[in-house]
Amino acid sequence: MVNFTIQNVLIAASDDYATVDVQIVDGAIAAIAPNLPVIGAIIDGKNKLLLPGFFNAHTHSSEMWQRGIMSVLPLELWLGELYDFAPLDTEQVYLSALGTAVETLLSGGTSVVDHLVLIPGLELETIATATRAYREVGIRAFIAPLIQDESLSAGIPSGESARTHEPYHRSTAATLEIIEEAVRQFHRPDEGVNILVAPTGIQLCTDALFAGCIELSDRYNLCRHSHLLETRAQEKLAQEKYGCTAVEHLKRIGFLSDRTTLAHCVWLNDADITILAETQSTVVHNPLSNLRLGSGIAPILKYRQAGVNVTFGCDGASSNDSQDLLEAIKIGSILHNVTDLDYQYWITPRQAVEMASSGGAKGLNLTDNLGSLSVGKQADLVLYDLTHLSLLPRTDPIGLLVLGRPNNVVDSVWVNGKQIVADGKVTTINVDELRQELFNRSQWETKRKSETVAQIEPHYRTVMGL
């Protein structure tokens, strides 16, 4: 492992900035102070800003293949259209995981939580393929295989009609066996690859699946990940299924904990927010997909005031159409200036950076190792070029980074002390070859008519009062 010293670099210090040297030894931060003796290679930090790596705390890498083409629809109908696209193959899984990792790295992220869609019949091969891609790039990967045990139509409230649903193609027991085998084969935290238990959400999962995930989580000390109340339809569905809110139900069955991250959390009430705070669960804010799908605006300032940990995610690239983490952080910060009048609680750029770094680490039970520039923590670091046009003229570096429209400003990235971006370019894989493969494996398309949407749309409109 290469040791190095970053000299004369700008870091955030209290309400100001400081110019320091940072020593990295054996993959960890060994010292932070001015005028340190050089250890190992010298990295010139002059006119650069050093921050801890951000977490892309919720995405679906394989959705890259549908970005830019999905219709303007709410989630439940959008999913129907997504299901109608041609099935993935493992080569597509590999390429889209590479692409997700590269875009995350070049927008300040050093960790990605991939709520990975599994190819039916090739579930372990799907996980193995994504694992291989993330290892090759060198990003820290939290692979959360997306599982369910109910069919798509079960995710829409019944309303006044009695409805039956096709059985899901794989049994609950078989699904849990796949996840346990994935843990045995691929869960290697010390090597930068983690497996999470990740039921897609209350809308498509039985309590038996949740219970099995809780048991696996406890037995193997795994973090938990799920969608939660992304849409008003899911809020209605929870009342139908449980006679209470989804949050109350998840607390009752024991899914909420300090190692549980919950994506979206748009339709929660005040009592739900109190439960999240009490259970120390983490909310992953995905503002761009929530806007794209018309899901709503999550009450993020309420969460923060209640003491709920919040971090950011891009969500999948067919409901966001990007994996630009800095864009998600910007929109996820300033969006709430129009939802809450009391400006004393608006999110500042420094708070946004803290949410994206230490907030992500806390949600994954890693605050002892990641999330801040602190001696002893692992060196997941990002160096930003403050001479780039989009970060000029010189004012507040973090303000420019969060509130501006920075592009191509990431100079260097290290994960566990290993450099994987240098001079703005990923060094571990050939990105030009990746771009060519993504181009060759796709074609220009226009919107297609979705038979699944046509089947479920009349009932959806009725139950939602449209």
Side-chain angles (χ1 to χ4, degrees):
M1 189 170 290
V2 176
N3 299 332
F4 58 95
T5 303
I6 307 173
Q7 291 187 318
N8 301 313
V9 72
L10 205 65
I11 66 169
S14 300
D15 293 328
D16 201 354
Y17 294 89
T19 299
V20 299
D21 298 342
V22 180
Q23 292 176 346
I24 308 300
V25 177
D26 295 334
I29 301 171
I32 303 173
N35 304 313
L36 290 173
V38 172
I39 293 179
I42 296 174
I43 305 294
D44 184 6
K46 186 178 180 181
N47 298 321
K48 295 182 176 71
L49 173 70
L50 186 68
L51 292 176
F54 299 150
F55 287 73
N56 184 355
H58 175 72
T59 191
H60 308 280
S61 63
S62 61
E63 286 183 14
M64 180 173 286
W65 294 98
Q66 289 83 38
R67 87 168 148 190
I69 195 174
M70 297 296 292
S71 297
V72 180
L73 291 169
L75 176 73
E76 285 73 23
L77 301 183
W78 175 91
L79 279 171
E81 184 171 286
L82 187 67
Y83 272 51
D84 280 354
F85 276 88
L88 292 167
D89 59 42
T90 52
E91 181 65 14
Q92 286 176 302
V93 169
Y94 173 70
L95 293 172
S96 55
L98 289 179
T100 296
V102 169
E103 288 192 79
T104 297
L105 287 166
L106 296 181
S107 57
T110 53
S111 294
V112 60
V113 177
D114 188 356
H115 208 177
L116 182 67
V117 177
L118 303 178
I119 301 172
L122 295 173
E123 292 87 355
L124 288 171
E125 291 87 345
T126 305
I127 299 167
T129 300
T131 299
R132 175 166 63 93
Y134 290 133
R135 280 183 176 276
E136 287 180 12
V137 176
I139 198 169
R140 197 177 294 276
F142 298 84
I143 298 174
L146 188 151
I147 52 174
Q148 64 192 75
D149 59 353
E150 294 189 296
S151 59
L152 181 64
S153 62
I156 300 176
S158 296
E160 300 298 322
S161 61
R163 303 177 69 217
T164 57
H165 310 290
E166 291 292 322
Y168 193 61
H169 68 83
R170 189 176 56 233
S171 72
T172 303
T175 296
L176 292 169
E177 287 173 6
I178 289 168
I179 301 305
E180 184 167 12
E181 184 58 31
V183 173
R184 293 194 189 103
Q185 291 189 31
F186 309 114
H187 186 60
R188 302 289 184 273
D190 292 343
E191 300 172 16
V193 177
N194 302 262
I195 300 296
L196 280 61
V197 293
T200 186
I202 62 101
Q203 66 278 11
L204 295 175
C205 298
T206 64
D207 280 358
L209 185 59
F210 273 106
C213 286
I214 293 166
E215 194 277 329
L216 288 174
S217 170
D218 290 343
R219 178 147 46 102
Y220 292 103
N221 193 29
L222 308 174
C223 288
R224 308 167 185 179
H225 187 66
S226 186
H227 299 98
L228 177 63
L229 294 178
E230 185 173 353
T231 66
R232 187 181 286 275
Q234 291 174 10
E235 179 190 39
K236 289 175 175 285
L237 181 67
Q239 288 293 336
E240 280 189 0
K241 288 180 73 170
Y242 312 125
C244 64
T245 72
V247 176
E248 290 174 315
H249 186 72
L250 291 179
K251 179 187 178 184
R252 188 179 301 151
I253 65 175
F255 187 75
L256 304 180
S257 76
D258 61 356
R259 39 196 180 112
T260 301
T261 52
L262 303 161
H264 304 291
C265 297
V266 178
W267 295 96
L268 276 65
N269 61 34
D270 290 347
D272 293 335
I273 294 172
T274 298
I275 291 172
L276 292 190
E278 290 173 348
T279 57
Q280 300 181 61
S281 302
T282 290
V283 170
V284 182
H285 189 21
N286 299 272
L288 289 156
S289 63
N290 291 344
L291 292 171
R292 166 83 153 86
L293 301 176
S295 301
I297 299 175
I300 295 301
L301 301 193
K302 279 189 173 183
Y303 294 140
R304 286 172 51 80
Q305 290 171 61
V308 177
N309 183 49
V310 181
T311 190
F312 296 102
C314 289
D315 208 353
S318 61
S319 64
N320 173 343
D321 306 280
S322 169
Q323 290 295 292
D324 187 331
L325 191 50
L326 285 170
E327 182 183 41
I329 293 167
K330 174 179 179 175
I331 298 300
S333 302
I334 65 175
L335 180 62
H336 307 286
N337 297 2
V338 298
T339 63
D340 295 70
L341 292 177
D342 193 342
Y343 52 86
Q344 295 181 84
Y345 297 109
W346 292 355
I347 298 169
T348 69
R350 286 191 179 227
Q351 288 170 338
V353 164
E354 185 177 357
M355 291 163 66
S357 51
S358 64
K362 184 176 181 181
L364 293 163
N365 207 25
L366 288 170
T367 50
D368 290 343
N369 301 316
L370 296 171
S372 66
L373 295 182
S374 305
V375 172
K377 292 200 175 183
Q378 291 172 287
D380 285 21
L381 308 171
V382 180
L383 196 62
Y384 297 91
D385 180 3
L386 298 178
T387 69
H388 195 279
L389 183 60
S390 63
L391 294 181
L392 292 171
R394 288 188 290 172
T395 57
D396 178 358
I398 290 178
L400 287 164
L401 189 69
V402 173
L403 297 177
R405 182 62 179 91
N407 57 85
N408 302 318
V409 296
V410 171
D411 177 88
S412 301
V413 177
W414 296 266
V415 174
N416 200 30
K418 178 184 178 182
Q419 187 164 17
I420 56 179
V421 175
D423 298 322
K425 299 183 184 301
V426 176
T427 59
T428 48
I429 64 166
N430 189 321
V431 176
D432 288 337
E433 287 184 1
L434 170 63
R435 284 165 40 206
Q436 191 63 53
E437 285 296 319
L438 287 168
F439 186 88
N440 292 342
R441 286 294 303 262
S442 55
Q443 60 185 5
W444 307 121
E445 295 187 63
T446 55
K447 295 289 187 296
R448 63 185 71 182
K449 183 176 176 60
S450 168
E451 294 182 4
T452 302
V453 171
Q455 292 169 2
I456 64 179
E457 187 172 17
H459 174 74
Y460 175 84
R461 292 186 63 81
T462 297
V463 78
M464 296 307 294
L466 301 174

